[in-house]
Amino acid sequence: MNTTRRLLLSAAGLALAFPLTAAHAQQGAAAAYPAKPIRLVVPFPPGGGTDILSRLVATKLTEVSKWTVVPDNRAGAGGTIGIAEAVRAAPTGYDMVMGQKDNMVVAPWLYKNLSYDPTKDLTAVAHVAYTPVVIVTRTDSRFKTLKDVVEAARAEPDAITYGSPGNGTTIHLAGEIFKSAAGIKIRHVPYKGSNAAMMDVLAGNVDLMVSSLPSAMGQIKAGKLRPLAVTSAKRSTTLPEIPTVAELGYKDFDVSTWYGLFMPAATPREIVQKVNAEVNKLLAMPEMKDAIHAQGAEPQAMTTDQFGTLLKTDYQKWKAIVQASGATIE
């Protein structure tokens, strides 16, 4: 065998060996994972729904899986600061973020200069839960059913008001989608957060409120708010007696907020799959289901591919919804 041919064969052998070596290295890293604490970025302040759910996941992973998961609140700009923090992290599996529909698929179409594209800069790891949106009114309101609202709105266009936590939120847009589906005109009143909107609907300053279920549950249980319908595809486990908007005649109506874990895009797939398996194991536990239900949310496990498909589908779906609403944030 001449020298040139030997060199070519050696080079070919090395070229074949390098991918195998890299694959073995990734498998080895996944087998040893996690070898140190994992940071879970929480893109909202302590005490809110996202924070509570994040800490529940972190606590259970620490207890059941014997991992060390440390929540790290990075709040601001509707959750987009925390998401951007996760995008910038090294793709080693030791940084993940609790994303939700608002900052993953709505915000990219609202903010003109957002620094990330969630479908390219992050990888979907594990879906955790979804939260129905609920349409409520005060208990002494003239509206006993959603049909009452629709009939009154047709008789008096733009006279009925509804509050939301703010312009461009999923909750605000749920109200706009319902207006379009029902062919009615009701006037949106945006607030800076759920608490301010809640106080005004209780005081009678606005007729209705569109709210996440966890935000409204306390006042519903106290008998101060009357839930008229939930906007998710299925009835809420927490409020099983309340019909969905779809059941009331608006076919395929489905607006809810989901929560799930994401990592930087280049994170090794073996690590992503390992985290997915551990989270899904937690979501199958009765005590975990009960804890999530207590927050007014619905636990829902998915494979990484299913969650990735949900992200991409909703990303395109909400582009049209946001653009139709005309909402923008500088």
Side-chain angles (χ1 to χ4, degrees):
M1 184 182 294
N2 61 43
T3 304
T4 301
R5 188 176 180 186
R6 280 198 300 270
L7 289 171
L8 287 171
L9 288 172
S10 297
L14 286 170
L16 288 171
F18 279 134
L20 290 173
T21 302
H24 288 152
Q26 283 197 355
Q27 290 170 3
Y33 178 89
K36 61 181 182 179
I38 303 166
R39 179 177 69 143
L40 172 54
V41 176
V42 184
F44 289 95
T50 303
D51 179 70
I52 292 170
L53 193 59
S54 298
R55 290 178 185 277
L56 178 60
V57 171
T59 299
K60 287 298 183 182
L61 280 173
T62 300
E63 288 178 0
V64 177
S65 303
K66 306 305 179 186
W67 296 0
T68 302
V69 182
V70 183
D72 181 15
N73 293 86
R74 299 283 175 157
T80 61
I81 288 175
I83 300 295
E85 173 89 3
V87 167
R88 291 192 298 268
T92 58
Y94 290 97
D95 292 276
M96 58 185 177
V97 63
M98 181 68 79
Q100 61 175 176
K101 186 177 285 186
D102 279 359
N103 51 41
M104 294 295 291
V105 303
V106 178
W109 307 116
L110 283 174
Y111 288 81
K112 291 184 176 180
N113 298 304
L114 203 62
S115 64
Y116 61 84
D117 178 337
T119 65
K120 296 177 181 177
D121 299 328
L122 292 166
T123 187
V125 177
H127 185 275
V128 175
Y130 70 91
T131 303
V133 175
V134 63
I135 302 172
V136 295
T137 188
R138 62 191 180 279
T139 50
D140 61 353
S141 165
R142 60 181 169 134
F143 304 121
K144 309 303 181 187
T145 65
L146 195 63
K147 183 180 178 181
D148 291 343
V149 175
V150 173
E151 289 178 348
R154 287 175 178 161
E156 305 174 82
D158 218 32
I160 297 169
T161 55
Y162 81 94
S164 84
N167 275 320
T169 58
T170 305
I171 293 167
H172 160 218
L173 296 174
E176 295 301 300
I177 297 169
F178 176 68
K179 284 167 55 177
S180 176
I184 58 175
K185 291 184 178 180
I186 58 177
R187 186 156 40 93
H188 175 231
V189 182
Y191 290 84
K192 292 184 178 179
S194 294
N195 286 341
M198 188 71 67
M199 292 304 101
D200 261 12
V201 74
L202 289 171
N205 296 327
V206 290
D207 298 302
L208 309 165
M209 181 181 173
V210 183
S211 171
S212 70
L213 191 50
S215 295
M217 274 305 298
Q219 299 296 345
I220 291 172
K221 288 180 178 178
K224 295 181 179 180
L225 286 178
R226 176 188 296 123
L228 302 177
V230 293
T231 66
S232 50
K234 297 179 181 179
R235 291 195 181 200
S236 165
T237 302
T238 311
L239 293 174
E241 70 281 9
I242 305 305
T244 67
V245 172
E247 285 179 81
L248 297 174
Y250 303 95
K251 187 179 178 182
D252 299 327
F253 197 100
D254 181 13
V255 180
S256 57
T257 294
W258 49 251
Y259 303 85
L261 300 174
F262 295 84
M263 288 181 175
T267 304
R269 183 165 177 80
E270 290 81 4
I271 288 176
V272 170
Q273 296 286 11
K274 189 168 187 177
V275 177
N276 176 270
E278 291 299 315
V279 172
N280 287 351
K281 185 195 302 181
L282 295 183
L283 295 177
M285 297 170 58
E287 59 266 37
M288 186 69 166
K289 291 181 180 180
D290 291 344
I292 293 174
H293 284 148
Q295 301 304 318
E298 306 286 342
Q300 186 180 47
M302 292 185 181
T303 66
T304 55
D305 289 342
Q306 287 171 334
F307 191 23
T309 297
L310 174 65
L311 171 66
K312 291 175 182 176
T313 301
D314 273 0
Y315 185 73
Q316 291 303 320
K317 173 184 174 180
W318 283 85
K319 176 183 180 181
I321 294 170
V322 172
Q323 290 176 344
S325 76
T328 59
I329 299 175
E330 297 293 335

